[in-house]
Amino acid sequence: MKLRRLTLREIHLSLLSPFETSFGISDLRRILLVEVDAQGVPGWGESTAGENPFYSYETVETAWLILRDYLWPMVRGKELEATDVWDLLAPVRGHNMAKAALETAIWDAKAKQKGAALAELLGGTREEIPCGVSIGIQPTTTALIAKVEQALAGGYQRIKVKIKPGLDIQPIGALRERFPRLCLMVDANSAYRLEEATLLKQLDQFHLMMIEQPLGWDDIYSHAQLQRRLETPICLDECIHDLEQARAAIEIGACRIINIKLGRVGGHTPARRMHDLCQAKSIPVWCGGMLESGIGRAHNIAMSSLANFSLPGDVSASRRYWAEDIIEPEVEVSSQGTICVPSAPGIGYTPRLDRIESLTKRREVLE
Ligand code: OSB
Ligand code: MG
């Protein structure tokens, strides 16, 4: 396969409601879309880089620059397979969200060229994937309970709630009291310090499925110290950028579960390697979300079809985020809280070119 053209687009999409985490509020999403032309076959990818460098150091601006000036020249015009791309991009250190946007687009093109579903090409075995929701920090406990009720009415299998200092024990306690049997977990996005272990230990009483990324975004060691003091499993998100960190975290006992995000790890090839490593070490994984548009969401669904994605992920229906998505059909969740893995070639959803065009604020075509 040879790549002839790369089109970078920045689209703006308004979330139906603002999403608050311990590091900030997201409202209007700026999303970088990547389209490759592989000898006439199009492939689509999405960068999960944020508007600001608060979840990770990458932003839409850095991803655009790295894609245009470094990553594209490394693959342009070369005879390559989708499985080669991750290693070709290795000279660039980090910038995994930029890499993933390009790498996943090439996987989509490859699958389309073969007339195969991307999930199948990746080796996925699930026909449907279990879904959870991620609920942002709410102004009141009443509002939080209403959000949970709404998600449960939609069939979702587990609820994740964002926490931060001052909005943790009380709202989660109230939620547990209201829903004694709910599959519940929390995500702190690195808002705590090891010195607050006694406070975090209080979460043990709520029998959570896991606590996601309580401590420093790059601090695996402190998570190992915390995990020894907690009964609740720790799940790492921000800390795990590559296979070596996953191996270290597992071996020193820093987590019992890993959240895999395509953007954070750099694309389908590294995600699959991490999935395989975790499977060999009996560490279950699930697919995280980054408030993606339909294109990133479709890639998440394909990846989630791999066998060790055994826990419900943060991949949920388009209509939880957007008044109108940019793909057809939109991503829908069944009343059992599952998404059917599409069998059409590539990502299995069609980008709506007219809609993408009208949302585009910036475009650059690289030949
Ligand atoms: O930590 O998983 C996270 C959103 C933006 C940045 C980080 C995270 C999240 C979410 C939302 O939890 C998941 C989603 O619904 O897409
Ligand atoms: Mg997280």
Side-chain angles (χ1 to χ4, degrees):
M1 187 165 70
K2 266 190 192 156
L3 305 173
R4 288 202 300 222
R5 189 185 314 121
L6 176 72
T7 306
L8 302 178
R9 286 188 183 85
E10 178 180 333
I11 62 163
H12 289 188
L13 261 188
S14 271
L15 285 164
L16 282 173
S17 52
F19 189 82
E20 182 171 352
T21 63
S22 63
F23 60 79
I25 301 180
S26 191
D27 190 355
L28 176 75
R29 292 276 357 260
R30 294 173 57 196
I31 298 174
L32 195 175
L33 297 178
V34 162
E35 183 187 3
V36 294
D37 176 336
Q39 293 159 307
V41 181
W44 287 83
E46 174 172 342
S47 142
T48 60
E51 296 74 32
N52 303 299
F54 300 154
Y55 167 82
S56 84
Y57 59 79
E58 292 190 80
T59 67
V60 178
E61 300 295 333
T62 69
W64 191 290
L65 173 109
I66 294 289
L67 277 158
R68 181 190 61 204
D69 293 350
Y70 297 96
L71 305 180
W72 174 240
M74 287 172 172
V75 296
R76 174 182 52 201
K78 281 195 187 139
E79 184 59 46
L80 51 77
E81 287 302 317
T83 45
D84 301 334
V85 177
W86 169 249
D87 294 319
L88 279 173
L89 303 181
V92 171
R93 294 185 180 171
H95 296 283
N96 283 350
M97 292 174 175
K99 289 180 180 176
L102 177 61
E103 202 256 13
T104 56
I106 296 171
W107 272 97
D108 178 34
K110 181 69 202 177
K112 284 183 174 130
Q113 206 180 59
K114 294 188 83 152
L118 176 57
E120 187 193 324
L121 198 63
L122 291 169
T125 51
R126 294 171 188 278
E127 285 176 10
E128 45 180 21
I129 61 164
C131 304
V133 294
S134 175
I135 296 177
I137 292 167
Q138 299 297 313
T140 62
T141 302
T142 314
L144 175 61
I145 289 176
K147 286 272 183 189
V148 171
E149 273 169 344
Q150 195 186 359
L152 292 176
Y156 288 99
Q157 298 185 14
R158 73 99 170 97
I159 305 290
K160 159 169 143 183
V161 175
K162 295 286 189 181
I163 57 168
K164 67 176 181 182
L167 281 175
D168 40 38
I169 310 301
Q170 191 280 328
I172 299 306
L175 209 52
R176 180 46 93 206
E177 198 176 327
R178 171 72 180 72
F179 303 100
R181 300 166 65 84
L182 180 67
C183 288
L184 180 63
M185 61 172 286
V186 295
D187 185 359
N189 289 110
S190 300
Y192 297 86
R193 294 147 41 87
L194 187 58
E195 290 71 33
E196 293 164 295
T198 313
L199 182 145
L200 292 169
K201 177 87 188 141
Q202 290 182 58
L203 291 169
D204 273 347
Q205 67 186 300
F206 305 131
H207 305 287
L208 304 176
M209 297 169 78
M210 68 196 91
I211 301 175
E212 188 178 343
Q213 194 71 37
L215 307 179
W217 72 276
D218 221 9
D219 185 2
I220 295 174
Y221 186 67
S222 295
H223 281 99
Q225 292 178 298
L226 179 64
Q227 181 69 89
R228 266 183 239 122
R229 297 179 57 180
L230 298 183
E231 270 153 50
T232 310
I234 290 177
C235 168
L236 288 178
D237 173 353
E238 282 89 331
C239 272
I240 308 296
H241 312 280
D242 61 30
L243 213 56
E244 286 66 42
Q245 282 149 351
R247 184 178 297 122
I250 294 167
E251 285 182 8
I252 69 171
C255 63
R256 297 188 199 139
I257 300 169
I258 290 179
N259 160 344
I260 298 183
K261 288 179 177 168
L262 281 167
R264 208 188 62 234
V265 305
H268 284 300
T269 297
R272 189 163 66 175
R273 288 183 191 158
M274 195 174 289
H275 162 275
D276 294 351
L277 169 78
C278 291
Q279 192 166 36
K281 304 262 183 192
S282 303
I283 298 288
V285 302
W286 54 275
C287 177
M290 293 291 290
L291 311 173
E292 288 96 341
S293 81
I295 293 182
R297 202 164 291 282
H299 279 287
N300 286 342
I301 294 167
M303 174 176 77
S304 301
S305 70
L306 297 178
N308 194 37
F309 281 86
S310 53
L311 295 167
D314 281 347
V315 185
S316 48
S318 299
R319 66 155 165 271
R320 289 194 66 248
Y321 305 84
W322 320 115
E324 229 184 304
D325 206 334
I326 60 167
I327 52 164
E328 215 166 61
E330 299 207 341
V331 174
E332 286 187 9
V333 168
S334 73
S335 56
Q336 274 69 251
T338 60
I339 294 172
C340 278
V341 178
S343 51
I347 56 174
Y349 296 85
T350 309
R352 289 175 54 185
L353 298 177
D354 51 341
R355 177 151 171 75
I356 291 172
E357 206 55 39
S358 70
L359 296 167
T360 297
K361 300 293 175 206
R362 170 161 62 140
R363 179 203 341 261
E364 203 165 333
V365 182
L366 307 165
E367 305 281 349

